[in-house]
Amino acid sequence: MTRTATDPCFDNQAGMLNVEQAVAELLQHAQPLDARERINLMDAAGRILAQDLASPIDVPGFDNSAMDGYALRSSDIETARKDGLEIVQRIPAGSVGEYLHAGCAARIFTGAPVPEGADTVVMQEHCRVEDSRLVIEHAVNAGANIRPRGNDITAGMTVLQTGVPLKAAHIGLAASVGITAFEVFRRLNVAIFSTGDELVEPGTPLGPGQIYNSNRYQLAALLQAQGCEVIDLGTAVDTFAATRKTLLLAAEQADLVITTGGVSVGEEDHVKDALESVGKLTLWRIRMKPGKPLAFGRIEATPFIGLPGNPVSVFVTFLLFARPFLQTLQGRTAIEPQTYPVRAAFSYTAKQRREYVRVRLNSDPTGGLVAETFPRQGSDVMSSLAWSDGLVEIAEGATIQDGDSVRFLPFSEWAS
């Protein structure tokens, strides 16, 4: 079925920035925090490394066997194939063998140091043992099955660089070279609040015209996934004075303030005017859907991002704009999340703005990935986010036909 985007507010795109321009504008104002703290390995998951880490040692620190087998001299390979070699020692991992003389072999296990004098390991599956003598039954090359000292890391090598978000592999790597503690950037404190007198908390009975405040919890979860400390200021009363007061309160406590709602052009949308009364508005409205109303500026010296009110718009604009901004504040290495080409299993025509369509991936009969759209793409349809695997980006004015290649933005990377 062909779907055409509609938007009754889509009247005048003049003066609006496109997505790339808006991201560039935000990042021009993003100054990484320099506050640091020293932590131990066990507390490092999810933190942002604030120093380069160099290895103090070689890894491995000695030539070792890559498998269970027998260590010998390569000059004895032919003798071992014809007459056999006497097995004179046994070297498990964690032990150190003795010098291996010519005409002798050593039973050795994976990870054990190769004894001095030996330069080759023959895997046990290629050997047989007769009366304590080793006989090689397959051809073997000199130097086989030995992991040399420094094969992975050499002393002095930089193993992790400043700005890396520390995951399990990074922490394991630091441990493998004996590092126990290091500096990370302090967690980013982000103050959040919602606007809208129609919002009530989950668990409270709904009155006429009221809805539950899903944005409060969705935004907090998105920030926590980015490693931020959330300062939750709840919901501000929908007046200019209350919005202004809450903005100032938030700025006193946080490195960044993010709000949801109140940034459009309605009479009850007070965030834009309140912000301009206590700071500066730098950016407002983006040529995109969902999420056209987006505000950026400062509350005195504290950066501010005002997200739209509809829950899907909050989610999408957070991923596209708030995420790269706060990651820059965190001191992260700038790494653009991965996108993938997939085939469209839908048709769609965009107006003169960038559009982000919620999709789920399926496999076609050839094993290729195809993107199926959620049947309702309204910015209020929150069930579409839980259903979807990600977004398909559709360029301004583009028409997508069933089977076309499209750019897929997976939530698994963009929302983490």
Side-chain angles (χ1 to χ4, degrees):
M1 179 178 69
T2 301
R3 304 179 63 252
T4 301
T6 59
D7 182 354
C9 297
F10 187 72
D11 297 324
N12 180 15
Q13 303 299 309
M16 292 189 192
L17 300 181
N18 64 28
V19 171
E20 289 79 12
Q21 290 170 331
V23 171
E25 176 71 23
L26 262 69
L27 294 185
Q28 282 184 2
H29 299 275
Q31 296 296 323
L33 296 179
D34 197 34
R36 307 176 182 206
E37 57 185 338
R38 192 167 182 82
I39 62 169
N40 297 320
L41 277 176
M42 280 296 184
D43 302 318
R47 303 303 297 271
I48 312 301
L49 189 62
Q51 64 176 117
D52 289 352
L53 295 183
S55 175
I57 61 171
D58 293 331
V59 179
F62 47 84
D63 295 354
N64 69 88
S65 178
M67 58 189 58
D68 293 349
Y70 296 87
L72 46 77
R73 293 169 175 261
S74 57
S75 58
D76 285 335
I77 290 175
E78 289 304 314
T79 301
R81 298 194 67 180
K82 295 176 180 178
D83 304 320
L85 303 174
E86 183 181 3
I87 301 171
V88 297
Q89 55 181 308
R90 183 178 185 273
I91 313 172
S95 298
V96 177
E98 300 175 351
Y99 182 87
L100 190 69
H101 295 280
C104 298
R107 178 71 166 119
I108 196 167
F109 296 86
T110 304
V114 175
E116 186 179 354
D119 62 5
T120 301
V121 171
V122 185
M123 59 191 302
Q124 62 187 13
E125 293 84 352
H126 293 170
C127 306
R128 73 175 189 273
V129 177
E130 298 177 350
D131 298 327
S132 298
R133 293 186 68 81
L134 171 70
V135 179
I136 299 176
E137 297 183 314
H138 292 76
V140 60
N141 295 323
N145 304 316
I146 291 179
R147 297 182 291 213
R149 177 173 182 160
N151 182 58
D152 184 11
I153 297 165
T154 57
M157 177 188 294
T158 298
V159 291
L160 292 172
Q161 294 183 322
T162 300
V164 170
L166 294 166
K167 299 181 180 180
H170 304 113
I171 294 167
L173 178 58
S176 76
V177 299
I179 294 172
T180 61
F182 39 75
E183 287 190 343
V184 296
F185 291 108
R186 173 177 62 77
R187 289 189 186 276
L188 196 66
N189 294 315
V190 182
I192 65 172
F193 67 91
S194 307
T195 65
D197 287 343
E198 76 278 13
L199 301 176
V200 297
E201 288 302 302
T204 304
L206 288 173
Q210 293 183 326
I211 60 173
Y212 288 123
N213 186 356
S214 60
N215 283 337
R216 178 184 184 185
Y217 301 93
Q218 174 180 231
L219 180 56
L222 286 166
L223 288 166
Q224 288 163 355
Q226 296 296 317
C228 299
E229 297 285 354
V230 177
I231 302 169
D232 177 21
L233 299 180
T235 302
V237 177
D238 233 352
T239 66
F240 172 85
T243 304
R244 184 180 188 276
K245 180 180 179 180
T246 310
L247 285 173
L248 289 170
L249 177 64
E252 291 175 359
Q253 306 175 61
D255 304 305
L256 170 66
V257 177
I258 302 180
T259 62
T260 58
V263 293
S264 193
V265 293
E267 292 181 8
E268 297 301 318
D269 294 318
H270 301 294
V271 171
K272 176 177 176 289
D273 292 340
L275 175 67
E276 290 181 312
S277 75
V278 296
K280 181 180 180 181
L281 178 68
T282 303
L283 181 152
W284 183 52
R285 299 199 298 173
I286 312 297
R287 198 163 61 245
M288 63 175 289
K289 181 185 177 183
K292 180 175 71 172
L294 178 85
F296 173 74
R298 289 189 175 273
I299 308 163
E300 296 179 341
T302 304
F304 165 83
I305 297 176
L307 303 179
N310 281 314
V312 174
S313 299
V314 168
F315 191 88
V316 173
T317 53
F318 180 91
L319 298 189
L320 294 176
F321 304 108
R323 181 182 187 274
F325 185 83
L326 67 88
Q327 288 191 343
T328 302
L329 295 187
Q330 290 172 320
R332 291 198 190 202
T333 304
I335 301 175
E336 184 72 14
Q338 185 67 50
T339 62
Y340 306 95
V342 300
R343 286 195 306 106
F346 60 90
S347 298
Y348 195 99
T349 299
K351 290 193 174 182
Q352 296 304 313
R353 61 189 168 190
R354 189 79 49 83
E355 303 207 20
Y356 294 88
V357 180
R358 281 140 278 163
V359 300
R360 174 183 285 180
L361 295 186
N362 298 304
S363 296
D364 66 13
T366 68
L369 291 176
V370 296
E372 168 193 2
T373 59
F374 193 78
R376 298 182 306 283
Q377 289 287 324
S379 57
D380 62 320
V381 184
M382 198 166 190
S383 59
S384 64
L385 292 175
W387 176 89
S388 300
D389 295 317
L391 305 170
V392 159
E393 181 183 77
I394 301 177
E396 295 87 338
T399 294
I400 302 299
Q401 301 290 351
D402 196 319
D404 286 351
S405 178
V406 290
R407 183 183 181 220
F408 173 67
L409 287 61
F411 289 155
S412 59
E413 290 200 26
W414 286 71
S416 62

